[in-house]
Amino acid sequence: MKAFITKMNRVFKNKKLYNRWSSSVGIIIISLIILLLWQGLSSIYTPLVLPSPFLTAKSLLKILQSKCFFIELFSTLQRLLIGLIASILIGSIFGIMMGCSKKIKHLLEPLVYLVQATPPILYMTLAMLWFGLNGRATIFIVFIGSAPVMAVNIAEGFENIDVKLIEMGKAFQFSRTKMILEIIIPSLKAYFKTGLITVFSFGWKLVVMGEVLSASTGLGAQITDARMNLETNMVFAWGIIVILLCFLFQKITAKLFEFRLKRRKNYEG
Amino acid sequence: MRDKVLLKILNIEKNFEEVRVLHDFSMEANREEIVCIIGPSGCGKSTMLNIISGLTLPSCGEVINNSQNTSYVFQEDRLLPWKDVYENIRIVNDKSSHKTCMELIEKVGLKGFEGFFSCELSGGMRQRCSIARAFNYEADLLLMDEPFKSLDFNLRIGMIHYLLTLWESKKKTIIFVTHEIDEALLLGDRILFLTNRPTKVLTEFRIETPKMKRSLTDPSLVKVRNQILDLLQNENQPVDS
Ligand SMILES: Nc1ncnc2c1ncn2[C@@H]1O[C@H](COP(=O)(O)OP(=O)(O)OP(=O)(O)O)[C@@H](O)[C@H]1O
Ligand SMILES: [Mg+2]
């Protein structure tokens, strides 16, 4: 016992290890509590209202084993990526224009905020009217929901560029390109990254919502199918898939856009 | 053809909204001269250097800058956080060779820290990096805003000697703002003593002893030192010295 305690002490001296350990303990405890509650409640209600964890797990396995899962996943990802790429491009262009000129900013800002303030469900209704019940409405809503987020983030990045560094560049007569490449773009990186991460998780939620309401393929459409067939267990199973994928997606984007400084070069020789 | 006067400031005025910083301020600097400027905090020394470098425009008045290029050691280090020491120094001069940069790094005592980012350096190390950067930029006018602050005594003496040898070989004109009387005594051909806002040159001291031969115990320097201390007492301005 004593040996165990000293060992644990040593492990906990390593702060990173301790943090990881305690965060996974947290996850396990929370999951256990949820599972217990779920199990308890599902024994009170019928499976139509609340399927038991076991039933849900069975449905989940069934879905994962079926071939159509990957087809549905693919069509969802396709819509998501098209919408996101468009929103990142257009949003960044708007953001850059707003950042470069105060006049353009005053002109575009109300528009961007208007687009951002409108509830996604309103766009959804309109998109269904405009594009019909196919994937395009979903792409549209991902785009319109994400683009302003990107624009606002980039514009904010421009606001926060350190004037003192710009002055430094001027004092040492940096050329225009040098100024943009060495000072402006690196200053914007962090804001671009936050924009991307926000947009990726937001877009994921929008794509599912869009599909639930308007598509016949994709993960969201499967949820609608399950609801129509009164298969609550399937709704739960698909829901779990969507949540896990969103989580995974977020983790991957955060990792992908991690800008690290630690890349020490060797200047000797 | 070459004018003896490199820099001339005539009756400039600078106001920031309601704060009148410089009023009817004039000074000049000859080629190859080191002009030291001592003045109370907040009197507008940095503002003046910004005006000379062209970063700030005076509200009125005239600035005649005959230099080809102007290099600047800012009061803050103003290093690019995403570049390491070496890159920060090299970036101001695309033509500078690897050897020159490494030499500069060694001269300011940052050898071994070439690959460090500014967030990994101490305040004094950052300051030295920014000095090396300013030296790497080809210029005949060098503006230095309290460049040796937050350096320890030995480093400070070392940097003063380094600046003097550099001056010997390249003969730059240097405008050197400082709060340290000793630095001014060792470096300056002239020392301008400024009043508080609205700022003017109160007194000008001229030191004739050749810069390379000066020592702080030199009677002529001691005399100037005492005069400056007297002035400071009359002004009743706290200056770290
Ligand atoms: N961008 C600005 N906007 C408004 N006021 C300013 C600005 N820059 C400087 N000032 C004012 O101008 C005055 C002089 O500032 P400056 O930085 O030139 O002082 P300084 O002589 O360099 O002082 P220190 O020795 O503390 O560095 C101060 O009163 C300051 O408040
Ligand atoms: Mg200053």
Side-chain angles (χ1 to χ4, degrees):
Chain A
M1 189 62 203
K2 209 167 175 187
F4 177 75
I5 289 172
T6 45
K7 192 173 166 211
M8 268 345 234
N9 271 338
R10 204 173 314 136
V11 167
F12 286 162
K13 283 232 177 74
N14 185 336
K15 197 136 189 202
K16 232 184 185 158
L17 216 65
Y18 174 74
N19 281 341
R20 190 170 297 167
W21 191 78
S22 68
S23 86
S24 41
V25 165
I27 290 174
I28 290 169
I29 292 175
I30 292 291
S31 322
L32 275 177
I33 292 174
I34 291 176
L35 265 179
L36 277 175
L37 271 176
W38 185 1
Q39 179 65 48
L41 286 174
S42 67
S43 61
I44 304 172
Y45 298 103
T46 64
L48 190 61
V49 177
L50 190 67
S52 71
F54 180 69
L55 188 59
T56 308
K58 230 167 67 180
S59 317
L60 195 62
L61 262 181
K62 206 179 99 196
I63 292 171
L64 290 178
Q65 279 165 351
S66 69
K67 245 188 242 137
C68 72
F69 169 67
F70 288 101
I71 298 169
E72 306 299 344
L73 178 64
F74 181 74
S75 61
T76 302
L77 283 182
Q78 201 180 13
R79 284 170 196 146
L80 178 64
L81 284 183
I82 296 173
L84 279 183
I85 289 171
S87 71
I88 290 167
L89 279 178
I90 308 278
S92 300
I93 291 172
F94 268 61
I96 289 170
M97 291 199 301
M98 285 160 74
C100 287
S101 146
K102 274 271 173 301
K103 272 191 204 135
I104 297 182
K105 186 176 169 145
H106 292 315
L107 197 72
L108 291 184
E109 213 167 33
L111 175 72
V112 169
Y113 282 124
L114 180 76
V115 173
Q116 206 177 17
T118 312
I121 199 72
L122 206 63
Y123 290 125
M124 201 57 234
T125 317
L126 285 176
M128 276 150 66
L129 289 172
W130 293 339
F131 301 107
L133 295 181
N134 53 36
R136 281 191 295 161
T138 307
I139 295 175
F140 173 75
I141 183 152
V142 171
F143 167 74
I144 203 84
S146 311
V149 178
M150 209 60 210
V152 167
N153 260 292
I154 301 271
E156 170 110 355
F158 272 95
E159 293 274 292
N160 285 303
I161 291 178
D162 190 350
V163 187
K164 301 208 149 171
L165 293 184
I166 300 282
E167 277 185 0
M168 187 278 289
K170 275 190 197 151
F172 292 110
Q173 293 185 318
F174 280 24
S175 66
R176 215 186 160 75
T177 6
K178 203 169 178 183
M179 201 75 123
I180 292 172
L181 287 180
E182 307 287 9
I183 302 184
I184 296 178
I185 290 181
S187 305
L188 293 178
K189 262 188 184 170
Y191 292 86
F192 187 67
K193 180 189 165 188
T194 341
L196 278 185
I197 291 177
T198 326
V199 151
F200 269 59
S201 62
F202 193 41
W204 182 256
K205 285 168 198 141
L206 287 176
V207 81
V208 173
M209 182 187 94
E211 285 177 346
V212 165
L213 292 172
S214 76
S216 50
T217 55
L219 301 178
Q222 300 312 305
I223 296 178
T224 304
D225 275 0
R227 178 181 63 85
M228 306 257 249
N229 297 336
L230 296 181
E231 292 170 323
T232 315
N233 52 322
M234 289 301 259
V235 173
F236 267 67
W238 283 110
I240 288 174
I241 289 174
V242 165
I243 292 169
L244 286 182
L245 281 175
C246 178
F247 185 71
L248 199 73
F249 220 68
Q250 247 170 318
K251 282 272 169 218
I252 291 173
T253 30
K255 261 274 174 315
L256 226 53
F257 295 100
E258 207 171 29
F259 299 111
R260 255 164 304 163
L261 275 182
K262 306 281 168 235
R263 179 181 27 90
R264 190 148 290 152
K265 292 180 193 151
N266 185 16
Y267 288 112
E268 297 302 323
Chain B
M1 185 65 210
R2 256 168 73 106
D3 209 350
K4 190 170 146 258
V5 178
L6 183 85
L7 175 77
K8 199 169 192 142
I9 297 175
L10 281 174
N11 315 98
I12 55 167
E13 180 159 335
K14 179 73 192 172
N15 309 314
F16 288 106
E17 275 118 51
E18 72 279 15
V19 187
R20 169 172 283 189
V21 181
L22 299 172
H23 176 65
D24 199 15
F25 183 90
S26 303
M27 68 163 271
E28 59 178 49
N30 295 329
R31 285 182 196 276
E32 304 180 3
E33 193 178 35
I34 301 185
V35 180
C36 290
I37 295 177
I38 293 183
S41 176
C43 76
K45 303 180 294 300
S46 303
T47 307
M48 199 185 59
L49 292 188
N50 282 338
I51 289 174
I52 294 173
S53 70
L55 292 176
T56 312
L57 286 177
S59 308
C60 66
E62 203 179 349
V63 179
I64 302 161
N65 188 343
N66 289 325
S67 66
Q68 300 290 322
N69 279 315
T70 307
S71 189
Y72 198 162
V73 179
F74 294 93
Q75 185 161 11
E76 321 83 24
D77 53 76
R78 304 203 187 183
L79 300 175
L80 297 175
W82 41 85
K83 299 258 174 218
D84 61 24
V85 168
Y86 179 88
E87 292 166 330
N88 261 302
I89 291 171
R90 196 156 188 190
I91 197 170
V92 295
N93 188 349
D94 296 324
K95 280 178 259 144
S96 62
S97 67
H98 174 74
K99 199 167 141 267
T100 346
C101 291
M102 293 307 273
E103 247 169 45
L104 275 169
I105 289 175
E106 187 171 352
K107 280 289 195 309
V108 298
L110 284 178
K111 201 167 165 32
F113 291 93
E114 299 90 352
F116 280 57
F117 293 93
S118 72
C119 60
E120 300 171 306
L121 300 175
S122 76
M125 290 163 102
R126 263 176 279 191
Q127 194 64 29
R128 281 180 275 152
C129 181
S130 112
I131 293 170
R133 175 179 66 187
F135 287 166
N136 193 31
Y137 184 68
E138 294 289 339
D140 43 356
L141 177 62
L142 176 58
L143 310 175
M144 303 182 89
D145 200 346
E146 297 177 46
F148 304 150
K149 64 165 185 300
S150 64
L151 299 188
D152 63 66
F153 181 78
N154 284 332
L155 260 175
R156 202 175 276 244
I157 297 292
M159 293 302 294
I160 288 173
H161 281 288
Y162 178 43
L163 185 59
L164 283 176
T165 45
L166 212 80
W167 175 83
E168 275 270 299
S169 59
K170 299 239 175 97
K171 295 290 184 194
K172 296 183 184 192
T173 308
I174 302 175
I175 313 283
F176 190 97
V177 169
T178 182
H179 287 299
E180 299 279 336
I181 300 170
D182 292 348
E183 277 176 10
L185 290 173
L186 287 174
L187 287 170
D189 290 296
R190 284 185 294 136
I191 300 173
L192 305 186
F193 190 92
L194 306 187
T195 59
N196 213 339
R197 270 173 284 124
T199 305
K200 287 202 175 183
V201 180
L202 183 69
T203 325
E204 177 181 320
F205 302 94
R206 195 174 279 278
I207 304 177
E208 303 291 352
T209 326
K211 287 192 270 298
M212 299 306 274
K213 292 195 187 122
R214 287 182 199 172
S215 124
L216 285 173
T217 45
D218 201 320
S220 64
L221 292 197
V222 172
K223 200 176 133 220
V224 177
R225 188 168 206 280
N226 288 335
Q227 283 172 324
I228 295 176
L229 286 175
D230 278 348
L231 274 176
L232 285 173
Q233 229 130 48
N234 294 339
E235 284 265 310
N236 214 359
Q237 284 292 340
V239 163
D240 54 297
S241 155

